[in-house]
Amino acid sequence: MELLSGGDMLVRALQDEGVELIFGYPGGSALHIYDAIFRQKGIKHVLVRHEQGATHAADGYARSTGKAGVVLVTSGPGATNAITGIATAYMDSIPMVVISGQVPSDKIGEDAFQETDMVGCSRPIVKHSFLVKNAEEIPEIVKKAFYIASTGRPGPVVIDVPKDVTNPADRFPYRFPEKVRMRSYTPAGKGHSGQIRKAVALLLSAKRPVIYAGGGVVQGGGAELLTELAQRLNYPVTNTLMGLGAYPGSDKRFLGMLGMHGTFEANTAMHHADVILAVGARFDDRVTNTPNKFCPGAKIIHIDVDPASISKTIVADVPIVGTVQSVLGEMLEMLKSSDEQPDQSAIVDWWRQIDDWRERHGIYTAPRYRTDGALIMPQEVIRAVYDITEGDAFVTSDVGQHQMFAAQYYLFDKPRRWINSGGLGTMGFGLPAALGVKIAHPDKEVVCVTGEGSIQMCIQELSTATQYHLPVKILCLNNQALGMVKQWQEMQYEGRLSNSVYEESLPDFVKLAEAYGHLGVKIDRREELHDKLQEAFAIKDRTVFIDVYVDPSEHVYPMQVMPNGSMRDMWLSKTERT
Amino acid sequence: MRRIISVLMENEPGALSRVVGLFSQRGYNIESLTVAPTEDATLSRLTLVTIGDDHKIEQVTKNLNKLIDVVKLVDLTEGSHIERELLLVKVRASGAQRDEIKRSVDIFRGQIVDVTSNMYTVQVAGTGEKLDAFLQALGEHTIMEVVRSGVSGIARGEKVLSV
Ligand SMILES: Cc1ncc(C[n+]2csc(CCOP(=O)(O)OP(=O)(O)O)c2C)c(N)n1
Ligand SMILES: [Mg+2]
């Protein structure tokens, strides 16, 4: 058998696992591993500019491909810098394996240079973690880490590797296990057929059904089946912020996003529904608004791969634990072989009702923002980019108003195209995530929708884009403020803008982009918007930073009324309430 | 409701901290916790007493089950079960007190396991309630030091928790 050092074993095990890409940043405790990377060819390593960037880039890679993202960082500050990105992946159930260097085993606990307890620090935000004790266990740990990260409800796994374990002088026999079996880990598979039968009967009896689909459908590869199911039944579908693309956004059965900034028709339909089919969604507080006022007349079917997500905040009438693929597949089979049909006249009435809601306040039936002013409206920027990219771009986003405008106005017809930090809401996610997506999809248009606040949280990654020639578009909806914070301050704190504005301190983003070797475009005149966007998007071989000055006073609507509101209680504009 | 949850988990470093971390992270409370390896040295058995309504306990057990190190668990309070806790107590014992304490120890089926001219160390096993009653019978002023193990439990009958 081949003899390898721990460092070489780690890299070889990653190769044997099928890893193509690592995002990382070197440092003392990881140097043996970095040397092993230097001496091999199979895996490409991308040097980021900050470990947070590495985690978000790996995350973007994972979300857009479905494969686990891989991160390599050093101990201490390298490891702690990765924490925000690990938490981001954890909250959105993204498969990721993070390898952190650690001080040598005999120094652990001595407050050694660059020592932090990484397993301890990351414990609440990982699916699992490993501290390697000796080199021989590396192949098995790597195999287990990827298995855990990518099966069941996916999530990040940390492997903490003390430096002595990777010492090039100590060699051990290498063998990569083909399979792992873990007696303590059996991810859910098929759903309970009896429950699925009950769910089908309940669905067919519905008079006012809504299908509510979340990120689990995207992650679990269930989008096609969900679409087939909804179209077969002709039932309306709403997606969560994480689920956008799980059902085609441009289809007439799509009601738009639901929740805090969901559409009027999606939130109102949910409130009045008699049967809700929740798939891969977790009844997040940004969706349900006040739990005890949530959808008072609805019977709830809840499909999820994670039993702990079911009945956590909202009790399910028909809980089904299983992968979305297998459960939706079985549901479809049952529907196809059944003679029963939905109550057609009830469904026609329901659609008539929904169309009426759409006419009244829907954001897709008429522009619900100013169209005759001098200032550029953020919504029209997203619409324009949607048109220019023919709805086919990968769109990553940061966090704030721009994120909500992108979610509302860019209609995603395919899963894995909309990439944002929904659970943790991490500003700084957008740019590194876009780089991860672009590396995985070099021939696709990748747009990072951001704000002048968020972009500055990971702006250093502009340099990574230069080094690896990653021509993404950065679309900055520049409202010269922490817009979402400002919106809340205007709505709930009588307009006291405590620390949400920058007082003339914003950088010149065009010059900044140029300093990194990119192209900068500033758009601040409404009449130039379309032409300049066209020009910018025509450039395919350079990173382009498009800084669009938008109406700084605009708010995101609809916005659910808080606290104590139900799904249907919404602000529709600054002055109009349901 | 008070619940006794019995957990079989991998006997690995870090496993216990994941269980304890889960409780603090999700705001569940732990009344008592005992843990030791089983006859199979790769497994630990952990007994945990917690308080919560049905909804909370369901979440506790689901989230415990989600931990990769947890192999199996059972809520002992769902069926008939035996629960025991061990008490070690040092009491002042001199003169006439010595006989009186011995009588109490006998009544509670305890044992005196250490002795000096001024004190006894007493061991009693039983349910938490029984131990409370024993301590009360001793009286506050005689007690010098109390150590309780926390609850261990096992189901009655032929049901077993094993891999
Ligand atoms: C790391 C981090 N810090 C703070 C917040 C709170 N926060 C949410 S939105 C927002 C403002 C974002 O400003 P900008 O990126 O300019 O977006 P805008 O809302 O103006 O479109 C802030 C500060 C956050 N989500 N993430
Ligand atoms: Mg802003």
Side-chain angles (χ1 to χ4, degrees):
Chain A
M1 219 181 283
E2 204 176 354
L3 294 182
L4 293 179
S5 73
D8 287 325
M9 267 194 200
L10 182 58
V11 175
R12 176 70 72 80
L14 292 173
Q15 286 175 348
D16 287 346
E17 182 58 39
V19 171
E20 317 161 323
L21 262 178
I22 298 179
F23 299 88
Y25 209 93
S29 299
L31 284 184
H32 295 329
I33 305 171
Y34 269 91
D35 193 57
I37 287 176
F38 189 88
R39 289 182 280 98
Q40 58 89 50
K41 287 215 168 56
I43 299 178
K44 176 175 170 149
H45 179 281
V46 174
L47 174 68
V48 293
R49 298 298 178 267
H50 185 301
E51 290 86 350
Q52 182 182 350
T55 51
H56 293 330
D59 187 323
Y61 170 87
R63 290 184 205 231
S64 66
T65 61
K67 289 188 255 178
V70 183
V71 176
L72 173 59
V73 295
T74 190
S75 66
T80 55
N81 272 350
I83 290 287
T84 299
I86 298 173
T88 303
Y90 180 73
M91 287 296 275
D92 290 343
S93 309
I94 304 305
M96 182 183 289
V97 173
V98 179
I99 299 160
S100 50
Q102 182 54 279
V103 300
S105 310
D106 62 342
K107 295 263 188 315
I108 290 179
E110 292 185 358
D111 301 323
F113 176 65
Q114 295 196 326
E115 178 185 359
T116 44
D117 173 9
M118 180 56 169
V119 167
C121 285
S122 63
R123 199 207 62 234
I125 50 164
V126 294
K127 187 168 172 188
H128 196 57
S129 50
F130 297 91
L131 175 63
V132 181
K133 285 181 290 308
N134 49 64
E136 290 107 310
E137 60 184 27
I138 287 176
E140 170 121 10
I141 286 180
V142 168
K143 187 82 201 168
K144 280 185 180 169
F146 279 85
Y147 175 58
I148 293 169
S150 15
T151 52
R153 180 175 180 175
V157 174
V158 162
I159 308 176
D160 201 30
V161 192
K163 187 168 185 181
D164 54 305
V165 167
T166 55
N167 188 347
D170 303 327
R171 290 158 175 271
F172 305 90
Y174 173 85
R175 196 188 67 82
F176 191 68
E178 267 168 32
K179 268 201 225 123
V180 273
R181 248 206 75 241
M182 298 174 69
R183 60 181 172 186
S184 58
Y185 176 65
T186 27
K190 274 173 52 102
H192 187 283
S193 294
Q195 289 293 92
I196 297 175
R197 201 168 295 283
K198 255 197 232 169
V200 168
L202 185 56
L203 263 185
L204 287 172
S205 74
K207 300 208 175 334
R208 296 181 309 281
V210 177
I211 299 174
Y212 147 46
V217 179
V218 175
Q219 291 295 321
E224 268 180 43
L225 290 168
L226 182 94
T227 305
E228 191 184 338
L229 182 86
Q231 300 195 340
R232 184 177 187 91
L233 293 167
N234 189 28
Y235 285 2
V237 184
T238 177
N239 286 160
T240 66
L241 179 64
M242 293 308 300
L244 295 175
Y247 188 83
S250 60
D251 186 85
K252 62 181 194 298
R253 293 180 197 80
F254 185 57
L255 305 185
M257 180 169 74
L258 84 170
M260 181 176 283
H261 293 297
T263 62
F264 175 76
E265 55 269 40
N267 286 343
T268 312
M270 283 289 285
H271 184 87
H272 291 282
D274 67 343
V275 174
I276 291 172
L277 173 64
V279 194
R282 60 187 176 90
F283 296 84
D284 177 270
D285 53 284
R286 285 291 193 265
V287 161
T288 59
N289 212 356
T290 316
N292 60 18
K293 293 188 178 166
F294 178 75
C295 304
K299 287 249 179 285
I300 292 169
I301 304 162
H302 191 176
I303 304 170
D304 206 287
V305 73
D306 175 12
S309 280
I310 293 179
S311 299
K312 180 174 63 180
T313 52
I314 302 291
V315 175
D317 298 284
V318 185
I320 305 171
V321 178
T323 65
V324 290
Q325 271 191 355
S326 77
V327 177
L328 290 177
E330 210 173 322
M331 276 185 139
L332 269 167
E333 287 311 311
M334 283 182 197
L335 279 172
K336 284 177 192 165
S337 59
S338 157
D339 325 316
E340 279 186 60
Q341 293 292 323
D343 178 343
Q344 298 303 346
S345 79
I347 300 303
V348 168
D349 285 350
W350 182 225
W351 272 118
R352 202 169 291 138
Q353 170 67 74
I354 289 171
D355 286 337
D356 177 52
W357 288 327
R358 282 173 158 163
E359 277 311 311
R360 270 162 56 202
H361 301 295
I363 57 171
Y364 305 123
T365 40
R368 308 290 170 180
Y369 49 86
R370 247 189 106 162
T371 51
D372 58 355
L375 295 173
I376 300 172
M377 301 307 287
Q379 298 93 331
E380 67 186 342
V381 181
I382 305 290
R383 289 302 326 206
V385 169
Y386 175 71
D387 291 340
I388 292 169
T389 58
E390 294 170 346
D392 198 37
F394 283 83
V395 179
T396 73
S397 147
D398 268 303
V399 176
Q401 291 181 321
H402 60 273
Q403 175 191 27
M404 292 303 133
F405 290 131
Q408 290 177 334
Y409 288 92
Y410 200 105
L411 300 173
F412 295 92
D413 281 343
K414 294 180 192 152
R416 302 194 181 284
R417 290 300 172 100
W418 165 241
I419 286 161
N420 86 132
S421 165
L424 198 68
T426 308
M427 289 170 70
F429 175 82
L431 173 58
L435 302 184
V437 174
K438 188 69 185 178
I439 292 176
H441 306 274
D443 302 329
K444 292 286 183 181
E445 186 77 79
V446 179
V447 185
C448 163
V449 176
T450 185
E452 76 305 312
S454 295
I455 193 67
Q456 294 188 76
M457 284 217 179
C458 273
I459 195 139
Q460 73 285 345
E461 301 308 330
L462 283 174
S463 177
T464 310
T466 313
Q467 181 172 355
Y468 296 94
H469 188 68
L470 299 170
V472 299
K473 305 283 181 303
I474 299 158
L475 182 73
C476 179
L477 299 184
N478 192 334
N479 53 10
Q480 296 148 76
L482 300 173
M484 189 57 94
V485 171
K486 183 166 156 251
Q487 174 169 349
W488 283 51
Q489 289 170 336
E490 282 165 350
M491 291 176 76
Q492 296 173 18
Y493 298 88
E494 298 168 328
R496 291 185 295 279
L497 302 186
S498 177
N499 294 282
S500 53
V501 286
Y502 320 101
E503 297 169 7
E504 309 291 317
S505 63
L506 281 179
D508 179 335
F509 288 113
V510 170
K511 281 193 192 148
L512 190 65
E514 285 168 357
Y516 281 105
H518 304 314
L519 204 66
V521 177
K522 179 174 171 177
I523 308 179
D524 57 358
R525 293 179 40 214
R526 189 153 184 249
E527 56 277 15
E528 286 181 356
L529 176 67
H530 286 264
D531 288 350
K532 282 204 162 178
L533 281 177
Q534 286 281 10
E535 276 170 39
F537 276 85
I539 297 161
K540 300 292 177 197
D541 58 347
R542 296 186 68 184
T543 305
V544 187
F545 193 117
I546 312 164
D547 190 20
V548 191
Y549 280 69
V550 295
D551 182 349
S553 67
E554 183 62 338
H555 284 182
V556 183
Y557 294 109
M559 179 168 178
Q560 282 176 332
V561 174
M562 295 176 308
N564 301 321
S566 70
M567 282 298 286
R568 66 169 166 180
D569 299 326
M570 284 168 270
W571 287 99
L572 299 169
S573 71
K574 285 184 185 172
T575 50
E576 213 179 341
R577 248 192 79 161
T578 54
Chain B
M1 264 270 280
R2 175 175 173 275
R3 303 295 189 104
I4 305 173
I5 297 170
S6 202
V7 181
L8 206 56
M9 61 183 198
E10 299 290 350
N11 184 9
E12 295 271 354
L16 180 61
S17 76
R18 289 195 184 97
V19 171
V20 176
L22 173 71
F23 275 71
S24 61
Q25 185 185 344
R26 298 209 177 252
Y28 311 144
N29 73 344
I30 301 181
E31 292 282 300
S32 82
L33 181 134
T34 66
V35 60
T38 64
E39 78 287 1
D40 172 351
T42 66
L43 289 170
S44 293
R45 175 80 174 240
L46 182 146
T47 313
L48 203 150
V49 179
T50 182
I51 290 176
D53 56 21
D54 287 351
H55 175 73
K56 190 99 174 201
I57 299 299
E58 188 179 324
Q59 279 301 311
V60 169
T61 54
K62 280 176 171 177
N63 278 298
L64 277 171
N65 261 319
K66 251 172 90 169
L67 293 177
I68 306 293
D69 293 320
V70 169
V71 184
K72 264 186 186 169
L73 64 83
V74 58
D75 178 352
L76 289 176
T77 22
E78 273 180 353
S80 73
H81 62 279
I82 298 158
E83 72 174 271
R84 289 289 179 272
E85 189 175 351
L86 178 71
L87 167 77
L88 292 171
V89 55
K90 267 185 198 175
V91 292
R92 276 185 205 90
S94 53
Q97 272 179 315
R98 289 179 88 89
D99 272 353
E100 200 182 316
I101 290 169
K102 264 184 99 168
R103 264 199 304 280
S104 298
V105 171
D106 287 342
I107 292 169
F108 284 87
R109 298 198 192 159
Q111 288 145 320
I112 295 168
V113 291
D114 189 29
V115 55
T116 72
S117 52
N118 296 315
M119 67 107 211
Y120 285 147
T121 299
V122 181
Q123 156 189 321
V124 185
T127 62
E129 267 174 29
K130 173 178 161 182
L131 304 189
D132 291 344
F134 176 64
L135 290 174
Q136 210 162 12
L138 288 175
E140 240 174 77
H141 42 277
T142 61
I143 296 172
M144 298 162 69
E145 185 180 356
V146 174
V147 184
R148 295 173 71 147
S149 65
V151 173
S152 281
I154 199 161
R156 281 195 186 276
E158 289 176 19
K159 252 193 293 178
V160 293
L161 182 63
S162 65
V163 284

